[in-house]
Amino acid sequence: MQTINNQSITHKGGGKNSTHKNYISLSRDESAAIKGLLMFLIILGHNAVFTNLIKGSFNYLYTFHVLCFFVLPFMYGKNEQKPFKESFKKNFIRLYYPYILFFTIFSLLSYFTNGNELDLNKISTMGAGSNNYFIGFTGTLITGNKYLIDHFTSFQYLWFLPVMFSMNLIKETISNKKIIKVSLYTLGLLSYIIFFVFSNKTPYNREINFYLMQASPFAILQGLGAYFLGKTSVAIMNNKYFRYINFAGALLFILLSIAYITDFYNKTLSTQENWCYIFIMPFLFMNLIYLAKDYLAKSNILKKIGEYSFPIYLIHPPLCIASYIICQRFLQINLTYSIIVQFMVLTASYYIAVLWHKITPLRKKTLPRSFEDLYSKKN
């Protein structure tokens, strides 16, 4: 991991001299609990029984829950800069390889169940690239374009893996030269606005986002936006007046959450207001989580979920869809069933993830931690 800053700052607070470290270091329990909470919220956002029942909940959750995962890698203490090759290999095998594997599996399933037509006009009003299925498939493996991921697999959520890969690569290998860091930070701000804030509702032709993703190998441009989010979030949490700012941020998050749901329900939420929410809510929610980290770390349930958050993330979307279809066709869309679905999907995903990890040869071939894992013939 890249070094944020190895120095410590001595400042006065509460009438006493105290040492303020210029980095954040979560404990293993705190990290697992935060991952567990975020994973619970991500599943809730994919719980169509819940989001179809509670109007505005889907849009509200997507203003912060997935994006907050990009902040966590910046909260593990002093980050040591790594050689590019070492960082690339480590992150490729842990993040990009699972993306390639699961994108291929879901694409094949979709290919044989929905047909092999690739009509980019359904994705992009102008169309882009070639209508050849193989060319489009190969290109998506390289770029991680979320629109094409959705088209090929019927699941858009895999976009997260290439973006996290590129963000980690930037974070771990970026030069400490000020001009380079400032340039990347500025580009990151622009990328954050274009790909995360504007997302599918842009003030310009949405085709621009599509083409930028097509021209961005390994989702590197979105990775810059994620880098900006993580770097800025930690800077906000890790200032010498953090207690006052974080408490204010936590309160503001609660007030804005109430305002968002109210405006959405009353159909008074404008596109411009939604952009503002998406821009600020990840920072505010991470402030709230950071303040509550000691309490979250006491929850064994959250810690257990967090320990298997990655395989749970990969497993849960098909379960959410299956649960929604069952409720829609055979049961009802009500609050009781939304709670049942949330519990069942979370529980099933967790135990499948645990079993997945216990079958060591399967885990090594699908979620390897190193290339040695992947090529190892030993259990």
Side-chain angles (χ1 to χ4, degrees), residues 304-356:
K304 285 181 179 294
I305 296 170
E307 287 173 4
Y308 295 95
S309 59
F310 188 31
I312 289 173
Y313 181 81
L314 295 171
I315 292 164
H316 81 275
L319 299 180
C320 285
I321 291 176
S323 300
Y324 176 69
I325 292 172
I326 291 171
C327 285
Q328 188 180 46
R329 292 185 179 180
F330 305 109
L331 301 171
Q332 296 179 11
I333 304 297
N334 59 36
L335 185 59
T336 300
Y337 283 119
S338 71
I339 295 172
I340 292 172
V341 166
Q342 181 73 10
F343 174 78
M344 292 184 65
V345 169
L346 187 58
T347 303
S349 298
Y350 171 77
Y351 282 108
I352 292 172
V354 171
L355 181 62
W356 190 353

Side-chain angles (χ1 to χ4, degrees), residues 124-139:
S124 169
T125 54
M126 292 170 56
S130 167
N131 278 356
N132 180 278
Y133 186 92
F134 180 76
I135 293 176
F137 173 85
T138 305

Side-chain angles (χ1 to χ4, degrees), residues 205-222:
N205 191 326
R206 190 164 65 95
E207 300 306 318
I208 293 175
N209 280 22
F210 183 89
Y211 286 120
L212 286 173
M213 290 181 187
Q214 284 293 85
S216 173
F218 306 114
I220 189 70
L221 293 180
Q222 292 135 285

Side-chain angles (χ1 to χ4, degrees), residues 40-97:
F40 175 87
L41 294 174
I42 287 174
I43 292 177
L44 189 64
H46 288 158
N47 180 351
V49 180
F50 175 80
T51 56
N52 277 276
L53 183 68
I54 310 298
K55 301 302 180 184
S57 57
F58 178 86
N59 301 71
Y60 167 71
L61 288 169
Y62 269 85
T63 62
F64 63 90
H65 67 354
V66 176
L67 295 181
C68 286
F69 260 108
F70 292 122
V71 181
L72 281 174
F74 292 84
M75 300 176 70
Y76 296 137
K78 298 178 182 179
N79 298 312
E80 299 299 332
Q81 189 174 5
K82 291 188 171 97
F84 180 85
K85 183 178 179 180
E86 178 186 340
S87 178
F88 186 93
K89 287 178 64 177
K90 183 197 76 173
N91 287 293
F92 185 90
I93 200 64
R94 295 183 179 183
L95 291 166
Y96 216 89
Y97 170 79

Side-chain angles (χ1 to χ4, degrees), residues 57-282:
S57 57
F58 178 86
N59 301 71
Y60 167 71
L61 288 169
Y62 269 85
T63 62
F64 63 90
H65 67 354
V66 176
L67 295 181
C68 286
F69 260 108
F70 292 122
V71 181
L72 281 174
F74 292 84
M75 300 176 70
Y76 296 137
K78 298 178 182 179
N79 298 312
E80 299 299 332
Q81 189 174 5
K82 291 188 171 97
F84 180 85
K85 183 178 179 180
E86 178 186 340
S87 178
F88 186 93
K89 287 178 64 177
K90 183 197 76 173
N91 287 293
F92 185 90
I93 200 64
R94 295 183 179 183
L95 291 166
Y96 216 89
Y97 170 79
Y99 161 67
I100 293 172
L101 179 64
F102 282 88
F103 174 71
T104 302
I105 291 171
F106 286 135
S107 294
L108 288 174
L109 289 174
S110 180
Y111 181 91
F112 290 112
T113 56
N114 300 326
N116 62 357
E117 178 186 5
L118 175 59
D119 184 2
L120 287 171
N121 291 310
K122 294 179 182 178
I123 310 163
S124 169
T125 54
M126 292 170 56
S130 167
N131 278 356
N132 180 278
Y133 186 92
F134 180 76
I135 293 176
F137 173 85
T138 305
T140 309
L141 284 177
I142 297 171
T143 64
N145 185 325
K146 69 177 183 179
Y147 300 114
L148 289 176
I149 291 173
D150 188 24
H151 179 79
F152 280 106
T153 69
S154 300
F155 297 110
Q156 193 177 101
Y157 76 106
L158 291 174
W159 70 270
F160 174 84
L161 303 183
V163 177
M164 181 65 87
F165 163 79
S166 286
M167 187 204 76
N168 280 345
L169 196 62
I170 294 167
K171 180 177 73 70
E172 294 175 359
T173 63
I174 181 176
S175 168
N176 285 321
K177 291 183 179 179
K178 186 174 181 180
I179 188 171
I180 295 177
K181 295 175 75 172
V182 170
S183 298
L184 284 178
Y185 193 77
T186 304
L187 289 173
L189 170 60
L190 183 61
S191 174
Y192 180 71
I193 293 172
I194 291 173
F195 295 110
F196 297 140
V197 176
F198 291 158
S199 188
N200 294 325
K201 293 184 178 179
T202 61
Y204 47 81
N205 191 326
R206 190 164 65 95
E207 300 306 318
I208 293 175
N209 280 22
F210 183 89
Y211 286 120
L212 286 173
M213 290 181 187
Q214 284 293 85
S216 173
F218 306 114
I220 189 70
L221 293 180
Q222 292 135 285
L224 281 168
Y227 172 80
F228 167 83
L229 172 60
K231 191 78 171 175
T232 305
S233 294
V234 169
I236 293 171
M237 288 183 280
N238 193 45
N239 64 84
K240 62 181 180 179
Y241 303 109
F242 77 98
R243 184 175 297 277
Y244 309 106
I245 292 177
N246 282 14
F247 272 117
L251 178 61
L252 184 58
F253 174 82
I254 295 170
L255 294 175
L256 288 179
S257 296
I258 296 171
Y260 187 97
I261 296 297
T262 302
D263 288 347
F264 193 97
Y265 184 80
N266 294 328
K267 299 181 179 180
T268 57
L269 183 68
S270 69
T271 299
Q272 291 76 14
E273 288 173 328
N274 194 58
W275 289 337
C276 293
Y277 279 111
I278 296 173
F279 185 93
I280 196 172
M281 290 294 267

